[in-house]
Amino acid sequence: MKELIPLDRIEVPRARPDARYAARLPGHDASFRGLKRLLGAADASKAGDRKAGLAAPSEAAREAARELLGELTLEHLHDHPLTDERGEVDAVMRVNYDIDRGAFARIASLRLGELKDALLRAPGPEVARLGRALTGVMAAALAKLCDVHELIYIARKISRPTRARTRLGAPGTLASRLQPNHPTDDPRGIALLTYWGLSIGAGDALLGVNPAAGTVESTAAILRHLDRIRRATGVPTQICCLSHLKAQLAALDQGAPVEILFQSLAGTEACCVTEFDITVDLIDEGYRRLAARGPLAGQAEQFMYFETGQGSELTYGKHSGVDMATAEALCYGLARRWDPFMVNNVTGFIGPETHLDDREMILANLQDHFMGKLLGVPMGMAPCYTLHAHVTLEGQQMATQLLTAAGASYYMDVCLNTDRMLAYCDTSGHDVQTLRELHGRAPGDEFLAWALDRGILARAADGQGDGQGNEQGEGQATAGAITRGPRFGDVRQFCRDEAELAALVAATPAAYGFATAGPRPANAVSRRARLDQAIARGALESALREDELARVAAFRVLTTMAGSKDEHLGSADAGARLSPESAARLAPEGAQVQIVVSDGLSAEAVHHNLPDLLPVLLDGLGARGVTVGRPLLARHGRVKLAEAVAEGLGARLVVMLLGERPGSGELASRSLSAYLAYRLAPGVDQEAAAAFSGNPAIGFEYTVIANIHAGGLPAAEAGGAIVEKVAQVLARRAAGNRLEALLARDAA
């Protein structure tokens, strides 16, 4: 177990006034006020930084910023810590200063450009040693000076192996984190997607599920289900449920097998506390509890799992003037504190407001991988995209080829590239096996032995294919190379009989068939998957039809600051703010609950679900004596529009019914979510929420019921589920993680 240095013992220079950085280049003068501005201007242009006003206005200005950055010494970067909105060094920045002081002293006088040259010349162990002397800001500054070849070349030198039950990231390996997400957490669907992944050699890094319902009960149930699958198949790996850290710790208290402890991180304390509901002290507590009481205590050398990705701080408006790449590097400097088993980067997950197209996504992923490995964390990559961005499967595949060349430790296995619960596109197990064969990689040793024994994978004889008609190209069929075995893609090997398999398939959306061609899905399977993605992209073009919705309820219509769909997609907050005209029309009405309906990212989700959902919701609330205001309808809304409505109407709770980003297929493109925004009353309620969250200024708590559609949680059933959850929120005067903790306590 690693010693965790108290925050007040980490040495950080005092905050200083912003310096002015100026350059005179041929035909161009440039000036930047403060290190934040210089770092932002030096980076490649990305949508999020452009929206935040941090990107350079021209290529000439960008090169001027890079020139200035390259001339700064590491000591200068060290002595000018970035500060938050109050001008203070926050906890995330402070943790980043927990560096190897001896190593830093030896390089402090180097200019940043000189350090880059030294890293290009140095052997891998020296690069890794120097990286431990750097803060996140220094790593981000280096990334902005590197071209694509340099990002790959330097990162490839660094090896960051870790060990839980099995070893991850050893040289010559490429692993897979199997993600069998299901829109309703149906254990049958989770089982099928796990079996499917295992059958194509995926899952050696982790079996991990993002729960549709992040309750303590569902977290414990998913972990026990994954544990049964792991034991029944004998697969050597580890398991995780990617709910909030607080829910996982409560599940651990109930005896659930929390083998790997997960949490998403942000690069500013403001975002961590107010949006992610975490503090450094909370993660410290989780680290110590798992080290002492986790199922792998005494066996695992590492047991923490963090997820990051450029842009979350900007999306929430909590970036403190820091550009996306620098905030991301600060996440890695934060993660380093807990010596993680794995870090997964999901840049591209948010959408076009942060990364608009293939180029922005690919370059950001290469930067992230470089910064994370340099700072000393084990980097898995998930170059991903949402269907409302100008990012494609082909762009994602280009990213994986480059990242594999750079030495990425693992990728995701999201079956056929489309997550059935989170409605985004990621890498698949087919991609991982393809990359292994192209780049001469293998799974981890323990998993490889298991897969060879089952005939899922095989070792090629010299100069031969794998015996399954999967001939290798010249230079790829050396003796011992890992190829596919006779049971590659055979999901049936994990089922008792055809009847069990049929039941699992029936419970799983987008199960198009298991046929393969080499390491790839067979063409018929790929074509169905790609068609469903095309259908889902089409749903983004849909618009609310107010005349039809008027037959469902007598809506009051509001407008947001997003005047068009493009503005809505590209802005981090326009859809969260009411237009002045609408805001002026709202006045306190005395109703406990207010319902707001918005298209969000899919108007079709509203039209297909609201006629069945809203009557059940209204009748159910009325039957429980809950007072409800006249429903509101808003185009181009975002989740936090609920807060403006709650304040304007004086409602205690707002139920925001929002069309989500379309998932794959006709049914998943109609996915609605219900966000329950509870407005905390001053006094006891607010004080309890502040104590629980560590955020003294907290004003709202959120609970979400997601994946409402015919292929997930049916609309009428969802109406009843929302009524029940509203009753719990109002009765316990809490929502989100605090509500779940209270429910778990009452059930104990």
Side-chain angles (χ1 to χ4, degrees):
M1 177 177 170
K2 181 182 176 182
E3 179 187 0
L4 301 178
I5 299 175
L7 291 185
D8 60 5
R9 285 176 47 196
I10 299 174
E11 297 179 19
V12 182
R14 62 176 176 80
R16 302 189 181 198
D18 285 340
R20 179 176 176 272
Y21 303 95
R24 294 183 64 89
L25 299 178
H28 189 87
D29 292 345
S31 177
F32 307 93
R33 173 61 66 181
L35 192 54
K36 292 179 185 178
R37 289 285 179 180
L38 182 63
L39 287 164
D43 203 357
S45 181
K46 301 167 195 165
D49 292 333
R50 292 193 295 272
K51 291 290 189 302
L54 295 170
S58 67
E59 283 296 321
R62 184 168 296 112
E63 287 307 319
R66 288 170 174 162
E67 180 78 16
L68 289 164
L69 202 55
E71 290 299 310
L72 296 182
T73 65
L74 294 176
E75 185 174 30
H76 180 92
L77 294 172
H78 175 278
D79 291 346
H80 290 79
L82 306 186
T83 57
D84 62 16
E85 301 293 350
R86 300 168 298 177
E88 298 176 0
V89 174
D90 72 9
V92 173
M93 185 66 63
R94 182 169 293 277
V95 170
N96 268 260
Y97 275 82
D98 182 12
I99 59 177
D100 183 333
R101 291 287 169 179
F104 178 75
R106 291 190 288 274
I107 61 174
S109 62
L110 287 180
R111 293 182 176 88
L112 194 66
E114 293 173 332
L115 177 62
K116 187 187 103 169
D117 292 344
L119 294 176
L120 287 166
R121 298 186 185 107
E126 176 69 6
V127 174
R129 186 183 68 81
L130 293 175
R132 191 64 187 83
L134 305 179
T135 67
V137 171
M138 298 172 194
L142 275 168
K144 297 165 194 292
L145 298 188
C146 291
D147 62 25
V148 167
H149 288 308
E150 291 159 351
L151 292 171
I152 293 172
Y153 184 78
I154 294 173
R156 188 181 177 91
K157 298 183 185 188
I158 307 170
S159 177
R160 299 290 189 190
T162 55
R163 176 175 289 281
R165 176 177 284 111
T166 60
R167 193 163 182 79
L168 176 64
T173 64
L174 180 62
S176 164
R177 182 184 108 45
L178 207 165
Q179 181 165 289
N181 291 350
H182 190 278
T184 61
D185 294 336
D186 190 320
R188 297 168 299 172
I190 291 172
L192 178 69
L193 293 171
T194 303
Y195 295 159
W196 199 345
L198 294 177
S199 77
I200 56 175
D204 49 329
L206 188 83
L207 308 181
V209 171
N210 298 80
T215 65
V216 177
E217 180 183 20
S218 64
T219 298
I222 287 170
L223 285 167
R224 293 189 175 101
H225 184 48
L226 290 175
D227 188 55
R228 286 191 293 269
I229 291 173
R230 183 187 66 79
R231 294 176 185 275
T233 60
V235 58
T237 189
Q238 30 282 317
I239 64 170
C240 181
C241 181
L242 284 75
S243 56
H244 194 275
L245 184 145
K246 292 178 180 177
Q248 294 169 79
L249 292 179
L252 178 68
D253 290 340
Q254 295 181 1
V258 182
E259 294 184 348
I260 302 294
L261 188 61
F262 166 83
Q263 183 55 51
S264 294
L265 298 179
T268 65
E269 184 179 11
C271 194
C272 283
V273 172
T274 63
E275 305 300 336
F276 290 6
D277 192 20
I278 56 171
T279 62
V280 171
D281 287 343
L282 174 65
I283 303 176
D284 282 354
E285 177 190 351
Y287 178 82
R288 294 188 179 105
R289 286 174 64 180
L290 214 66
R293 297 171 42 209
L296 300 182
Q299 176 183 358
E301 296 173 14
Q302 291 88 14
F303 43 81
M304 302 294 285
Y305 169 20
F306 298 114
E307 205 154 82
T308 68
Q310 286 189 27
S312 60
E313 304 85 2
L314 179 132
T315 296
Y316 288 118
K318 302 292 193 310
H319 58 91
S320 299
V322 177
D323 67 273
M324 294 193 299
T326 302
E328 181 69 6
L330 292 171
C331 291
Y332 305 138
L334 178 63
R336 185 168 61 182
R337 175 177 177 84
W338 299 285
D339 186 24
F341 173 64
M342 55 198 292
V343 172
N344 190 46
N345 173 274
V346 293
T347 289
F349 181 82
I350 295 173
E353 69 196 56
T354 61
H355 298 85
L356 182 63
D357 55 24
D358 285 327
R359 175 187 170 278
E360 292 184 16
M361 181 274 292
I362 293 170
L363 185 56
N365 272 269
L366 290 170
Q367 289 178 330
D368 296 347
H369 180 258
F370 165 88
M371 295 185 299
K373 287 185 76 174
L374 184 61
L375 288 169
V377 295
M379 290 300 293
M381 299 303 298
C384 54
Y385 62 98
T386 62
L387 295 177
H388 63 298
H390 300 295
V391 181
T392 63
L393 179 65
E394 290 76 16
Q396 180 192 67
Q397 291 174 343
M398 294 175 197
T400 60
Q401 292 288 348
L402 293 169
L403 288 163
T404 305
S409 293
Y410 69 90
Y411 295 106
M412 304 293 285
D413 171 25
V414 172
C415 185
L416 298 178
N417 300 105
T418 300
D419 191 291
R420 288 147 182 78
M421 192 278 288
L422 292 173
Y424 80 111
C425 299
D426 210 322
T427 55
S428 72
H430 294 93
D431 295 336
V432 176
Q433 183 57 27
T434 302
L435 292 163
R436 285 171 179 160
E437 296 186 25
L438 286 172
H439 292 267
R441 305 292 178 84
D445 288 345
E446 300 94 339
F447 185 94
L448 177 59
W450 174 85
L452 290 171
D453 183 63
R454 277 194 168 264
I456 293 170
L457 299 178
R459 293 189 185 276
D462 192 17
Q464 297 179 355
D466 60 7
Q468 302 302 308
N470 300 308
E471 291 78 9
Q472 305 294 309
E474 183 179 353
Q476 292 181 301
T478 56
I482 302 304
T483 63
R484 285 144 281 117
R487 303 199 77 177
F488 182 83
D490 178 13
V491 179
R492 290 167 178 81
Q493 65 185 290
F494 301 111
C495 298
R496 291 186 303 272
D497 50 36
E498 290 293 328
E500 180 187 4
L501 177 60
L504 299 184
V505 171
T508 309
Y512 306 126
F514 311 118
T516 60
R520 307 299 300 158
N523 183 63
V525 176
S526 293
R527 296 278 65 77
R528 288 192 62 189
R530 295 297 294 272
L531 175 60
D532 272 2
Q533 282 196 18
I535 291 171
R537 282 195 193 266
L540 290 162
E541 303 303 318
S542 60
L544 286 177
R545 300 182 291 278
E546 293 181 13
D547 56 338
E548 293 182 19
L549 295 175
R551 294 195 287 270
V552 179
F555 286 103
R556 293 178 285 180
V557 178
L558 300 176
T559 56
T560 71
M561 293 299 292
S564 67
K565 180 163 289 189
D566 286 344
E567 187 175 350
H568 172 57
L569 295 178
S571 172
D573 65 350
R577 294 182 290 131
L578 287 169
S579 67
E581 297 80 9
S582 290
R585 298 204 320 263
L586 299 185
E589 295 179 348
Q592 293 170 282
V593 173
Q594 181 61 56
I595 296 169
V596 182
V597 177
S598 181
D599 49 358
L601 294 176
S602 174
E604 288 306 304
V606 173
H607 285 287
H608 282 273
N609 293 288
L610 204 65
D612 292 330
L613 188 156
L614 191 58
V616 173
L617 176 57
L618 291 172
D619 290 347
L621 293 176
R624 290 178 180 251
V626 177
T627 57
V628 184
R630 180 181 164 193
L632 300 167
L633 181 67
R635 291 184 185 272
H636 310 317
R638 289 185 178 245
V639 173
K640 291 206 171 181
L641 183 65
E643 297 185 11
V645 170
E647 297 287 358
L649 293 177
R652 182 56 53 206
L653 177 67
V654 170
V655 177
M656 186 82 180
L657 300 173
L658 190 71
E660 294 288 15
R661 59 191 183 193
S664 182
E666 186 176 10
L667 294 179
S669 68
R670 302 168 177 173
S671 181
L672 192 78
S673 286
Y675 292 89
L676 279 59
Y678 179 63
R679 185 167 63 93
L680 294 160
V684 175
D685 286 0
Q686 196 280 333
E687 291 167 5
F692 183 85
S693 67
N695 176 16
I698 188 170
F700 285 83
E701 293 177 317
Y702 282 85
T703 288
V704 61
I705 297 173
N707 289 285
I708 301 169
H709 59 86
L713 181 63
E717 186 177 337
I722 297 169
V723 169
E724 181 64 29
K725 190 58 69 174
V726 167
Q728 291 175 345
V729 170
L730 294 177
R732 289 169 174 80
R733 298 190 300 187
N737 288 320
R738 189 165 66 95
L739 172 64
E740 297 308 320
L742 293 172
L743 293 173
R745 183 198 65 188
D746 293 346

